[in-house]
Amino acid sequence: MAALEAELMKLVGELTPAKRIEGPALHRPFLLLWAVGKAVQGEVREHRWSTIRDALGPLMTTYLDVPASADQVLYPFWHLQGSGLWELADAESLTLTSNGRRPTLNALNSSDPVAGLTPSAYELLSTDPEMAARVASHVVSTFFNPPLPGFLEDLGLADLMADRIEDALRPQVGESFPNRNAISDAYGGNRVMGITPLRDRILSVYSDDEGPYQDAPINELGWIGYTGDGLTGHQQMVSGNRSLQAYQQQQRALRYWHKPDGGQWTFEAWVVVVQVRQRWGVGTDRLARREFVWVLAPVPSPLRNTWPADVLAALEEDDWTVRDDTEGIPAGGGPSDASSRRDRYRRLTAAAQRTADRRTRRSRLVEVERYYRSVSAREAVLIRSEDTCENRTCLGHPTERTDAGAAILEVDHVNPLARGGADTPEAMIALCPNCHALKTRGRNRKKLQSLLLKTARLRHEEFMSAAG
């Protein structure tokens, strides 16, 4: 039975609408839902062409906004056969059109053949309400999202679904697995790739804290910066990145899986892509490269009518273009002489200032812009610090290093952003953890903050002057 269920979900996941100039034609998914409704209501497996024509035609006009014509029903009645979910009796005896693509309307009307779900699909859907709900939920959330008022009732699915579309989908949010093999055994899909669909063809992205990518939450937003596909060299808009781009343009929800250090893989949330950016990163070959970062916003379910207002606003604002945070900034890891560092500092400062000058609106995507452009400002400050705490009165460990040899420094806004502080290098400073604590919570923090602001400005002027 498990194998039959897996095969059924695979076939349902592979169902795709025909592409037309005016948009995808949803005739085949619509007929499939109608057939599922008949199965769960205990009706016979096969139905006459005339029955399907007369029942489906008015519904398609109402919900698919297509002309009231038997030709509109003919299309899915014939072509759903290719899905492996539907069969048409005596199909070979029907007279076809001149191009041989489908039977003529006269042939169907005169012979009135029967058609319906395949026996295996019908057996599962008519006897297992959970499986029927899973199939219906997938089709509705993929193609009819959100369903129009009366949609489920007219297709005979209202009682089956009853506010449970998102609950019927599998896997459910919160499910955990020890490894990728276990996920694949349960729900199909590739066992290695980071951006890949499960058996039901809904895309999943995988984020491993122990992996090579720099995936991270975006400040207090609760959104996620997810690194694109490709381990070495400049990332291209192909493969997994192309799949994410398609979901971005379709404004469709995908699954986000996360594995903390030493933990298990967990289906953590449904997410939607609200923006894509390009930044400098380092590949597994330790060479600088341009990489994509996909901004993922968690949503309660794949149903659009459950998405928060700020996510919908971000989707409305997104124009699908790649926001280039590498423009005018040379890659890191180049020459380490003083002139190169100062030139890079100047370019990073310019990138941060360009964004600071544009901040006239308040929205989630503006906050994302602030976060990623402030990466330029933070990197500039770290270059300026020359791996040493910039507090001139530091009594802690100004030159301490990690096991990897990196400086233990925290870049901080001297005046917090929430209080109007600038997000540019002259208003930011690199501090050791001890000085950072003193600046934030110390008894004499006001005096120290004033001193640090003067220091930051002086250091900034020195570097900008030396860089010309």
Side-chain angles (χ1 to χ4, degrees), residues 314-327:
L315 290 171
E316 182 69 23
E317 188 178 341
D318 182 29
D319 59 4
W320 307 341
T321 59
V322 179
R323 308 291 175 174
D324 191 354
D325 297 326
T326 70
E327 183 181 0

Side-chain angles (χ1 to χ4, degrees), residues 179-211:
N179 50 54
R180 290 285 301 275
N181 287 342
I183 298 174
S184 182
D185 290 342
Y187 296 113
N190 188 279
R191 299 170 186 263
V192 178
M193 295 175 63
I195 305 173
T196 184
L198 296 184
R199 183 184 295 119
D200 62 8
R201 306 309 298 168
I202 296 177
L203 197 65
S204 282
V205 294
Y206 297 85
S207 179
D208 187 349
D209 285 355
E210 301 175 54

Side-chain angles (χ1 to χ4, degrees), residues 11 34 39 44-45 49 88 99 106 114 116 134-135 149 161 163 194 197 220 256-257 272 294 335 401 406 408 425 433:
L11 293 174
W34 180 86
V44 295
R45 180 177 71 86
W49 154 251
L88 171 59
N99 58 23
N106 286 336
V114 295
R134 186 175 172 191
V135 169
M161 304 314 295
D163 299 324
E220 308 85 27
Y256 174 74
W257 296 78
V272 290
W294 300 89
R401 296 288 188 275
I408 303 179

Side-chain angles (χ1 to χ4, degrees), residues 78-359:
W78 175 258
H79 288 288
L80 191 58
Q81 291 180 97
S83 67
L85 298 163
W86 182 262
E87 60 181 25
L88 171 59
D90 301 321
E92 65 281 355
S93 66
L94 294 171
T95 301
L96 304 183
T97 58
S98 58
N99 58 23
R101 292 183 179 179
R102 54 184 176 271
T104 65
L105 190 57
N106 286 336
L108 287 175
N109 288 336
S110 61
S111 62
D112 204 15
V114 295
L117 295 167
T118 61
S120 59
Y122 177 81
E123 178 67 19
L124 272 177
L125 295 171
S126 62
T127 59
D128 187 344
E130 292 297 322
M131 193 65 200
R134 186 175 172 191
V135 169
S137 295
H138 176 88
V139 177
V140 170
S141 62
T142 301
F143 302 110
F144 307 99
N145 188 354
L148 295 172
F151 181 87
L152 295 176
E153 289 82 357
D154 285 345
L155 290 173
L157 295 168
D159 291 340
L160 176 72
M161 304 314 295
D163 299 324
R164 58 175 292 189
I165 292 179
E166 56 266 39
D167 295 334
L169 294 171
R170 295 292 184 277
Q172 290 188 318
V173 173
E175 285 192 46
S176 294
F177 297 86
N179 50 54
R180 290 285 301 275
N181 287 342
I183 298 174
S184 182
D185 290 342
Y187 296 113
N190 188 279
R191 299 170 186 263
V192 178
M193 295 175 63
I195 305 173
T196 184
L198 296 184
R199 183 184 295 119
D200 62 8
R201 306 309 298 168
I202 296 177
L203 197 65
S204 282
V205 294
Y206 297 85
S207 179
D208 187 349
D209 285 355
E210 301 175 54
Y213 293 118
Q214 302 176 42
D215 305 331
I218 302 174
N219 284 353
E220 308 85 27
L221 286 176
W223 293 1
I224 302 156
Y226 182 83
T227 307
D229 191 15
L231 294 172
T232 59
H234 296 317
Q235 291 184 347
Q236 306 295 323
M237 196 62 76
V238 296
S239 190
N241 293 322
R242 175 69 72 182
S243 297
L244 279 173
Q245 184 184 53
Y247 268 65
Q248 177 189 20
Q249 295 174 354
Q250 297 164 12
Q251 297 188 352
R252 185 179 172 189
L254 57 139
R255 297 181 175 107
Y256 174 74
W257 296 78
H258 176 239
K259 179 179 177 292
D261 286 341
Q264 296 198 113
W265 283 107
T266 300
F267 173 25
E268 201 163 274
W270 289 99
V271 296
V272 290
V273 180
V274 295
Q275 195 179 80
V276 58
R277 310 186 72 88
Q278 194 170 50
R279 67 184 176 194
W280 283 112
V282 179
T284 54
D285 56 4
R286 303 187 68 81
L287 296 178
R289 51 80 175 270
R290 288 182 172 89
E291 60 189 20
F292 295 114
V293 55
W294 300 89
V295 180
L296 309 178
V299 292
S301 82
L303 290 181
R304 189 182 180 92
N305 56 357
T306 68
W307 298 354
D310 59 346
V311 174
L312 293 172
L315 290 171
E316 182 69 23
E317 188 178 341
D318 182 29
D319 59 4
W320 307 341
T321 59
V322 179
R323 308 291 175 174
D324 191 354
D325 297 326
T326 70
E327 183 181 0
I329 305 172
S336 58
D337 58 274
S339 62
S340 297
R341 289 198 304 273
R342 283 172 168 77
D343 179 64
R344 184 167 173 79
Y345 181 84
R346 179 179 60 81
R347 291 173 182 265
L348 289 164
T349 297
Q353 188 63 55
R354 284 196 298 269
T355 298
D357 292 343
R358 290 200 301 266
R359 288 183 195 133

